[in-house]
Amino acid sequence: MVSPSTAPEGPALTHIAVADEVLSRVLSPYKPEATYLLRASVDPAPREDVLVSARGEFSIPFSCYIADTGHFNAVEFNICYNQLAYVLLGQCVISGLLPPLEIPTFEEYRRRQLPDFLILRLKSSFRQAIDPRAFAGTVAVRSAKRKMSMLMLDTVVAFTDGHGGSSEGEVLLGVIDSAKRREQG
């Protein structure tokens, strides 16, 4: 579903609401208690310095691995980044928004989702504690460059709640060329 909206200072943007079925299929590898992303939308080329971005709404009613800390932590940062980035890239395949991915179908994307997508570098910082029960996040792809048998996606991520909580980070995501991997292995 595509619906236009107008940003206060800029031109009209097109927001693609990620269908519940797409969200469910992309997040199916996660255990139910570790599925934190509730809704997402994708913005094709939202700014000159961004190829594509996604916004998501999250809730962590209880941690899947530790007693309640009362705040969003580094492990949850990573899990939430993964979930929103996977959904963003899945919607990119469906909508043809990121041609360098070179994944022709959503079924192919789903087959490659776990074995071929790697976090090569993750940097995160926390400005103020985030309430994990209700918060939002964004992931944006700044560039996509091929290096040998891998597509390198330079991404940025940010999370905020409605109470001033915030964190941000940079993630270098690698997408392995599965054809080359099969040739080598």
Side-chain angles (χ1 to χ4, degrees):
M1 175 167 140
V2 178
S3 61
S5 69
T6 305
E9 294 104 45
L13 297 176
T14 301
H15 300 286
I16 301 169
V18 176
D20 290 342
E21 178 185 338
V22 172
L23 198 66
S24 176
R25 289 189 62 204
V26 171
L27 299 179
S28 66
Y30 291 89
K31 294 180 178 183
E33 63 273 16
T35 303
Y36 303 143
L37 180 60
L38 306 174
R39 281 172 290 292
S41 62
V42 171
D43 291 327
R47 299 189 320 253
E48 188 175 300
D49 61 336
V50 171
L51 301 175
V52 64
S53 71
R55 177 169 171 37
E57 295 176 28
F58 296 85
S59 179
I60 304 174
F62 57 90
S63 179
C64 67
Y65 76 100
I66 194 170
D68 186 10
T69 61
H71 60 82
F72 180 68
N73 62 50
V75 171
E76 293 158 346
F77 181 102
N78 193 331
I79 292 169
C80 291
Y81 168 82
N82 285 352
Q83 290 180 6
L84 190 54
Y86 278 144
V87 167
L88 168 61
L89 297 174
Q91 188 65 52
C92 283
V93 169
I94 290 167
S95 302
L97 299 176
L98 195 60
L101 268 178
E102 298 177 349
I103 299 175
T105 66
F106 184 64
E107 290 71 28
E108 175 74 5
Y109 172 74
R110 287 282 296 120
R111 186 183 68 70
R112 294 181 57 189
Q113 178 180 333
L114 295 182
D116 290 352
F117 289 73
L118 310 168
I119 290 180
L120 302 173
R121 184 181 64 239
L122 183 143
K123 176 183 167 189
S124 62
S125 62
F126 294 80
R127 305 274 183 235
Q128 186 171 331
I130 293 175
D131 180 350
R133 293 169 296 181
F135 62 100
T138 59
V139 170
V141 178
R142 294 191 291 198
S143 68
K145 297 177 184 164
R146 189 144 308 273
K147 188 173 183 179
M148 298 188 299
S149 63
M150 190 176 293
L151 178 65
M152 309 291 239
L153 300 175
D154 175 29
T155 69
V156 291
V157 56
F159 297 104
T160 59
D161 64 17
H163 313 289
S166 69
S167 64
E168 59 187 32
E170 297 178 3
V171 181
L172 182 61
L173 187 62
V175 182
I176 298 170
D177 183 337
S178 60
K180 291 196 189 269
R181 184 168 42 107
R182 282 193 298 273
E183 289 171 7
Q184 297 169 350

